[in-house]
Amino acid sequence: MFLAYSRRLSGKVRSASANAELAYFLSFVAGAINAGGFLAINQYTSHMSGIVSQMSDMAILGEFSMVLWCLGAVMAFMAGSATTAIIINFARHCYLQSEYALPIFIEACALIFFGLLDGIQWDYSWLWTSLTVATLCYIMGLQNAITTDISQYKLRSTHVTGTVTDIGMELGKMFYWNRASKKDPTIQPVQSDYKKFKLLVKVLILFFIGGLVGAYGFKTWGFMFTCMMASILVYLSAGPLIDDIKTILFALNQPPVVLEQPATIATLLNEPTTAEIAEAEELSTIETEEVLRTEEDHADEIMPTAEPQKVSE
């Protein structure tokens, strides 16, 4: 039962309800990391809009060190998304069950690494800040790509700009009066997707609740709070990962297949080898000589020696 729910959330076989529940968990974790990370490093890392705008401002003000800092954050976010894409496609081609669980597990490991950074004291504070920001941006990109792939580019979990936009569009459809469709039956009435609306609202609320929990957690326990968030991600990925590990171990423990003769390219292609060709030619020569010898003996038996004729006197 414990692992069954994990398999349902992050397993290869997907359903609409499982996609929604996984989005709820990831949105909660993203809100906690984003809000808590702000208290830790005074920087939001879930959305790239503000970071790119900050990079533009710093370029105009001549703060080129900050431009490089923002550029590194953007590149880290892109690296996280690329990592998810590579893992998902590799797992699909290898027929693994953990195509979504493995990126979630890597996110948990990155969170633990982020928590361990608090215990590292460096003489160069800017390097420590840059590494922590890059780690958080990498985590955000990693998770955002997971939700994007599962929802077929319809949902994001690490920032709520698109979520709020979609909620506003669904509200607009709800309050639309459809006068034109009443006058002209050929015009399709405007209808709101109520299921999508509920999903978006829940994602927004859970992101906000996660922010409250993350802010309180970082304020109370500091960087160690990341271990609590990482434990949630480890649970989400546990079921499919354990299934793949069992499958791999079972395949490794199977006895090797021993062939009676060493397989060569010729035998695999069902083609005769050089030795087989030489043996066949030798047998053909022997058979040909035997046939010729038999024909000569048979000819001697059929045609006896002719007696000389007597000359008449």
Side-chain angles (χ1 to χ4, degrees):
M1 182 63 184
F2 182 78
L3 294 178
Y5 188 63
S6 174
R7 294 187 185 97
R8 180 175 180 273
L9 290 179
S10 61
K12 184 176 183 178
V13 180
R14 309 302 306 166
S15 63
S17 59
N19 291 342
E21 292 174 17
L22 181 61
Y24 299 153
F25 277 102
L26 295 181
S27 297
F28 174 82
V29 173
I33 297 173
N34 194 41
F38 179 79
L39 294 182
I41 58 177
N42 297 321
Q43 179 67 45
Y44 290 116
T45 55
S46 65
H47 56 286
M48 292 294 102
S49 303
I51 294 179
V52 173
S53 298
Q54 184 180 1
M55 184 165 54
S56 302
D57 294 337
M58 294 300 104
I60 296 298
L61 296 176
E63 298 288 342
F64 295 107
S65 60
M66 289 298 298
V67 172
L68 293 177
W69 183 87
C70 295
L71 180 61
V74 173
M75 296 299 292
F77 193 97
M78 293 175 59
S81 301
T83 302
T84 296
I86 292 172
I87 292 174
I88 289 177
N89 288 283
F90 174 78
R92 286 174 181 171
H93 293 165
C94 295
Y95 303 99
L96 300 177
Q97 299 295 321
S98 57
E99 61 183 59
Y100 296 114
L102 189 55
I104 294 175
F105 180 76
I106 293 177
E107 181 185 353
C109 295
L111 264 178
I112 294 175
F113 174 75
F114 173 73
L116 293 176
L117 289 176
D118 183 45
I120 302 176
Q121 299 296 331
W122 293 332
D123 295 332
Y124 302 98
S125 59
W126 64 269
L127 180 59
W128 180 87
T129 304
S130 301
L131 184 58
T132 51
V133 171
T135 303
L136 283 179
C137 289
Y138 179 83
I139 292 171
M140 293 293 104
L142 193 76
Q143 185 189 126
N144 200 40
I146 298 172
T147 311
T148 302
D149 188 90
I150 290 177
S151 64
Q152 298 298 317
Y153 299 89
K154 297 179 181 178
L155 188 64
R156 303 293 191 271
S157 63
T158 61
H159 54 278
V160 297
T161 304
T163 302
V164 173
T165 302
D166 292 341
I167 291 175
M169 293 178 64
E170 294 300 326
L171 285 173
K173 293 177 182 179
M174 288 181 186
F175 295 118
Y176 190 75
W177 49 87
N178 286 314
R179 292 181 179 177
S181 60
K182 294 179 180 179
K183 297 179 180 179
D184 188 355
T186 60
I187 298 178
Q188 294 292 331
V190 178
Q191 295 179 350
S192 176
D193 190 344
Y194 186 64
K195 291 183 178 180
K196 180 181 178 181
F197 177 76
K198 288 199 305 181
L199 171 64
L200 295 171
V201 171
K202 290 180 181 179
V203 167
L204 178 61
I205 293 174
L206 286 170
F207 190 92
F208 174 74
I209 295 175
L212 295 176
V213 174
Y216 179 80
F218 270 90
K219 182 180 178 181
T220 306
W221 297 289
F223 278 69
M224 292 302 297
F225 176 73
T226 57
C227 294
M228 302 178 188
M229 294 293 102
S231 63
I232 297 176
L233 298 175
V234 170
Y235 168 69
L236 293 178
S237 61
L241 284 176
I242 291 175
D243 293 340
D244 283 341
I245 292 173
K246 289 181 179 178
T247 302
I248 294 173
L249 292 178
F250 178 78
L252 293 176
N253 291 329
Q254 291 299 308
V257 178
V258 180
L259 301 176
E260 295 181 357
Q261 296 180 353
T264 61
I265 297 178
T267 55
L268 293 176
L269 296 176
N270 295 325
E271 295 181 358
T273 61
T274 305
E276 292 175 346
I277 293 175
E279 183 180 358
E281 291 177 352
E282 184 179 356
L283 291 175
S284 177
T285 303
I286 295 174
E287 292 177 355
T288 303
E289 292 177 354
E290 291 180 353
V291 169
L292 292 175
R293 192 181 302 110
T294 303
E295 290 180 352
E296 291 177 357
D297 295 341
H298 188 63
D300 293 340
E301 294 177 356
I302 296 177
M303 300 176 62
T305 305
E307 296 180 358
Q309 295 181 357
K310 296 180 180 181
V311 178
S312 55
E313 295 177 357

